[in-house]
Amino acid sequence: MPLFFHRQSSLPTAPATSPSYSSKLLKPLKPHPAPVPTRASLPIIVFSLVSLFIGLAGTIFAIAAFRRPTPIPIFRCGKSDDTFRGFYSLSKSRQAGDKNGGLVDRPKLLGLVGIQTGFGSADRRAALRNTWFPSDPDGLLRLEQATGLAFRFVIGRSKDSNKMAELQKEIDKYRDFLVTDINEEYSNRPWKTLAFFKAGFQLFEADYYVKANDDIYLRPDRLATLLAKERTHPQTYIGCMKKGPVVTDPKMKWYEKSGHLIGNEYFQHAFGPIYVLSAEVVASLAIARNNSLRMFSNEDVTVGSWMLAMNVNHEDNRALCDPRCTPTSVAVWDIPKCSGLCNPAIRLKELHAMRMCSKSPTLLPDDR
């Protein structure tokens, strides 16, 4: 039986063109209608649209990421960040095409000056930037090049997100902070000071490391001159040295909780607003474990106790604690009335307006 057959037509047939074959006229086939989309094709359409959306989103993200500015790198020791050098490494690399921006990992300096500050001291920092402390990164770099001294505001961290957000705004604007991984509280000042020395030693190869507070008026040029003096002792501790009775009354400001370990009178140590440690001294502190060093309640007493355990030379220099501006004063603060300047946000500007404070020569005529 044939697989296909056609119904006979009543129309006359045409004569055969070949004796061996016969043909019949066929009815034209009906055209097949276009397939109607079914429910099975709907997921495919949805999948195609989603894929198209993902592809477009990926393309837009790639373009945005490519055009986004290079993030500012941070020079870091552990979790301590030097925001200034990170800023300059980016700007220099853009100019010269150098990956490191021409900045070495541990630049050599005469001194690193860490200005201890806190979250509640924004007015002091503003007053400093309007007086002797540079108000922009370029000015900070010029001061470093002129004196051999690098200056940074040293601050810890906070669990308060609002405080950290405000700090970040200030960092983005000025780039003059060294942020340590210490909870910023007054009671943590000995740990914060140690963190500064450790981070400073790892980030900078300085001859001296200077701890200063944000409530003193400083002459950077004279500080550089003081540090540049020849010294025979490689381990040096410079400051306004003092002694005095140990405060054992808990109601007093300078109460020393571990006073029984000291006795009735403090050993010789420098006033806290500003003092200097030579590189060899800081090198010893940098490798010490935090819990291996005794911490007293007061930061200046704590550092002074560490100096007793080392073979350091105590260099007493009263130019670091002058109560008024003089031709030789290096640091001015209201000793003994305050442990710094009284009302520093105002006093800093008053002192800077005095010619003797801000414009007098670095050295006396006879010392040049």
Side-chain angles (χ1 to χ4, degrees), residues 117-135:
T117 190
F119 287 99
S121 299
D123 59 337
R124 296 184 184 185
R125 294 191 293 273
L128 285 169
R129 295 189 186 105
N130 286 325
T131 55
W132 65 265
F133 193 99
S135 59

Side-chain angles (χ1 to χ4, degrees), residues 37 57 65 113 187 202 213 301:
V113 184
S187 60
Q202 294 296 327
N213 290 347
V301 174

Side-chain angles (χ1 to χ4, degrees), residues 151-202:
F151 290 83
R152 301 288 187 275
F153 285 114
V154 181
I155 195 168
R157 302 180 189 270
S158 174
K159 296 180 181 179
D160 189 326
S161 59
N162 292 328
K163 289 182 178 180
M164 292 303 295
E166 288 300 314
L167 174 62
Q168 189 59 51
K169 292 179 182 178
E170 196 172 345
I171 289 174
D172 292 341
K173 184 175 182 179
Y174 296 106
R175 303 291 176 186
D176 52 9
F177 282 88
L178 179 63
V179 184
T180 66
D181 191 37
I182 297 293
N183 188 28
E184 184 63 48
E185 291 182 2
Y186 186 83
S187 60
N188 285 340
R189 294 193 74 176
W191 283 270
K192 179 182 173 183
T193 301
L194 179 61
F196 159 65
F197 285 131
K198 287 191 172 188
F201 184 78
Q202 294 296 327

Side-chain angles (χ1 to χ4, degrees), residues 106-113 144 148-152 203-208:
R106 195 167 177 257
K108 186 171 179 57
L109 301 168
L110 173 61
L112 170 66
V113 184
E144 180 178 323
L149 304 178
F151 290 83
R152 301 288 187 275
L203 293 170
F204 298 90
E205 184 184 354
D207 295 332
Y208 297 94

Side-chain angles (χ1 to χ4, degrees), residues 39-319:
R39 290 183 179 180
S41 63
L42 184 60
I44 298 176
I45 297 174
V46 173
F47 177 77
S48 300
L49 292 175
V50 171
S51 299
L52 178 62
F53 175 78
I54 294 175
L56 289 174
T59 302
I60 294 172
F61 177 80
I63 294 174
F66 184 77
R67 296 181 62 185
R68 185 176 59 186
T70 305
I72 294 177
I74 297 294
F75 283 78
R76 175 172 294 153
C77 167
K79 294 184 179 180
S80 297
D81 303 332
D82 179 14
T83 59
F84 173 79
R85 292 184 63 229
F87 170 77
Y88 262 95
S89 70
L90 176 63
S91 61
K92 294 297 182 183
S93 62
R94 284 176 174 171
Q95 295 175 9
D98 181 8
K99 182 178 180 181
N100 295 322
L103 296 179
V104 297
D105 290 337
R106 195 167 177 257
K108 186 171 179 57
L109 301 168
L110 173 61
L112 170 66
V113 184
I115 309 297
Q116 306 287 316
T117 190
F119 287 99
S121 299
D123 59 337
R124 296 184 184 185
R125 294 191 293 273
L128 285 169
R129 295 189 186 105
N130 286 325
T131 55
W132 65 265
F133 193 99
S135 59
D136 60 82
D138 288 338
L140 206 60
L141 182 61
R142 287 193 297 270
L143 181 60
E144 180 178 323
Q145 293 171 340
T147 62
L149 304 178
F151 290 83
R152 301 288 187 275
F153 285 114
V154 181
I155 195 168
R157 302 180 189 270
S158 174
K159 296 180 181 179
D160 189 326
S161 59
N162 292 328
K163 289 182 178 180
M164 292 303 295
E166 288 300 314
L167 174 62
Q168 189 59 51
K169 292 179 182 178
E170 196 172 345
I171 289 174
D172 292 341
K173 184 175 182 179
Y174 296 106
R175 303 291 176 186
D176 52 9
F177 282 88
L178 179 63
V179 184
T180 66
D181 191 37
I182 297 293
N183 188 28
E184 184 63 48
E185 291 182 2
Y186 186 83
S187 60
N188 285 340
R189 294 193 74 176
W191 283 270
K192 179 182 173 183
T193 301
L194 179 61
F196 159 65
F197 285 131
K198 287 191 172 188
F201 184 78
Q202 294 296 327
L203 293 170
F204 298 90
E205 184 184 354
D207 295 332
Y208 297 94
Y209 297 82
V210 184
K211 179 266 174 182
N213 290 347
D214 61 3
D215 55 358
I216 65 172
Y217 188 88
L218 186 66
R219 283 288 298 260
D221 54 338
R222 292 179 184 168
L223 178 61
T225 301
L226 170 63
L227 299 183
K229 290 174 58 177
E230 290 289 337
R231 291 177 174 86
T232 58
H233 205 298
Q235 299 185 61
T236 303
Y237 175 34
I238 310 171
C240 284
M241 299 298 166
K242 64 172 179 174
K243 288 184 178 181
V246 177
V247 180
T248 56
D249 185 352
K251 297 180 181 179
M252 300 293 288
K253 181 179 181 181
W254 308 115
Y255 167 63
E256 185 55 67
K257 184 178 180 180
S258 301
H260 62 283
L261 297 176
I262 302 173
N264 296 326
E265 187 176 78
Y266 283 117
F267 39 80
Q268 188 180 47
H269 63 283
F271 278 102
I274 182 171
Y275 55 83
V276 184
L277 302 182
S278 63
E280 284 198 18
V281 177
V282 175
S284 298
L285 297 178
I287 62 175
R289 295 183 179 180
N290 288 4
N291 58 4
S292 68
L293 297 172
R294 182 172 295 280
M295 300 288 181
F296 290 97
S297 300
N298 299 297
E299 166 257 330
D300 54 352
V301 174
T302 300
V303 175
S305 70
W306 299 342
M307 298 303 100
L308 287 180
M310 302 181 188
N311 182 29
V312 304
N313 178 50
H314 290 62
E315 184 178 314
D316 185 20
N317 192 310
R318 311 317 285 184

